[in-house]
Amino acid sequence: MKFGIIFYAILGILALFIGIYLLQYFILLSIIFFIGAFINVVFIHKEYSLHKNDKIEYDENSISDEVIVKYSRSGRIIAIATYSIFVILGLFFLSGLKLKFNGTVIVVLFILLGFIGYFIFKIISQVRKISEIMISINGKGIQIKNNARYLWNEIQLEKIIVKRLVSRESKHDYKPEINYLYFFHNDEKIEINIDDFDITDYQLSQVLKIFRDRFNNSGVI
């Protein structure tokens, strides 16, 4: 964790100084580097929060009647800021375009407008994701998005599993890990990637255990 924070801190400081330097020449480009510095600050906060939250222990009394899981807010902020960089880049090139109405200029103009419009659409989609409920867990069962709720008496083997991405071309030992919410519902296997959510794999595994114990102790069949 310390290496990650130091790395993002160095990148953020470099981006900040480059942004300040470019202020006197290209304001739009300087804004891009300021956004880059901001993104690194969010990455630092995210790294620290993940490390801190993994130490949190849940118990029966600390969990409410329903746990709502949404997309990671810091992840959405990073995505929105990144897409904003591309919007500003498009505006930068658009501002330097000499509007002489010939075929080439018109084609370039439409490409730039399409480029800017695409990333504006991506920003809007990320903003909508902030309030979107991805997983709901309560005494009845598990609900994924707006689908019908999977009931506890129909669920088996609920747990968090880790898959490692292995590439034949890779010559390195590092294998990226992806965490999934995994369970069977009436012999159907359900897997949901949880890496981009506002809950860690360890936290979610605790939540699953607590709600399963609540259901088992309730005497409901």
Side-chain angles (χ1 to χ4, degrees):
M1 184 193 73
K2 289 182 179 179
F3 174 78
I5 289 178
I6 293 172
F7 175 75
Y8 291 128
I10 292 172
L11 284 182
I13 292 171
L14 285 174
L16 180 62
F17 280 113
I18 293 173
I20 293 172
Y21 174 77
L22 289 176
L23 268 177
Q24 55 188 323
Y25 302 108
F26 307 104
I27 293 179
L28 284 177
L29 285 183
S30 69
I31 293 174
I32 289 175
F33 283 96
F34 287 141
I35 293 175
F38 171 74
I39 288 173
N40 281 280
V41 170
V42 178
F43 268 121
I44 291 172
H45 172 73
K46 187 176 181 180
E47 286 279 324
Y48 176 77
S49 297
L50 286 174
H51 181 74
K52 181 180 179 181
N53 290 338
D54 262 346
K55 296 181 178 180
I56 297 176
E57 294 285 344
Y58 289 150
D59 57 35
E60 173 65 30
N61 297 323
S62 62
I63 297 294
S64 61
D65 293 335
E66 183 176 26
V67 171
I68 300 296
V69 178
K70 298 182 180 181
Y71 279 108
S72 165
R73 187 174 292 270
S74 58
R76 304 288 64 72
I77 292 173
I78 291 170
I80 290 169
T82 303
Y83 294 143
S84 298
I85 289 176
F86 289 103
V87 171
I88 295 171
L89 269 178
L91 292 173
F92 175 76
F93 288 115
L94 190 63
S95 65
L97 189 65
K98 295 180 180 179
L99 294 179
K100 294 180 180 179
F101 290 98
N102 56 56
T104 302
V105 172
I106 292 174
V107 170
V108 173
L109 178 62
F110 274 103
I111 290 174
L112 287 175
L113 290 175
F115 180 84
I116 294 170
Y118 171 76
F119 284 104
I120 289 176
F121 169 78
K122 296 289 285 184
I123 290 172
I124 294 172
S125 66
Q126 292 297 321
V127 171
R128 289 176 176 174
K129 282 184 177 182
I130 292 176
S131 59
E132 186 176 356
I133 296 176
M134 298 305 299
I135 301 174
S136 166
I137 304 176
N138 62 20
K140 295 181 179 179
I142 303 173
Q143 183 177 15
I144 310 298
K145 295 184 178 180
N146 294 322
N147 299 322
R149 188 174 296 275
Y150 301 108
L151 304 180
W152 284 115
N153 59 354
E154 300 172 349
I155 294 175
Q156 294 178 321
L157 302 175
E158 68 281 355
K159 58 184 176 180
I160 304 301
I161 63 170
V162 178
K163 292 186 177 182
R164 291 175 174 82
L165 296 180
V166 180
S167 174
R168 293 181 180 178
E169 292 76 20
S170 176
K171 297 180 181 179
H172 305 285
D173 293 332
Y174 174 71
K175 300 178 180 63
E177 295 182 350
I178 302 177
N179 296 291
Y180 289 87
L181 166 60
Y182 170 98
F183 60 89
F184 278 90
H185 175 258
N186 292 334
D187 297 326
E188 177 189 5
K189 183 171 69 173
I190 309 295
E191 290 183 354
I192 308 295
N193 185 339
I194 63 169
D195 281 338
D196 202 22
F197 295 163
D198 62 355
I199 191 170
T200 67
D201 55 324
Y202 180 63
Q203 288 175 323
L204 187 53
S205 65
Q206 293 181 79
V207 170
L208 290 172
K209 184 179 185 303
I210 289 171
F211 276 100
R212 169 56 76 180
D213 290 342
R214 285 181 182 179
F215 173 77
N216 290 341
N217 295 330
S218 68
V220 177
I221 301 177

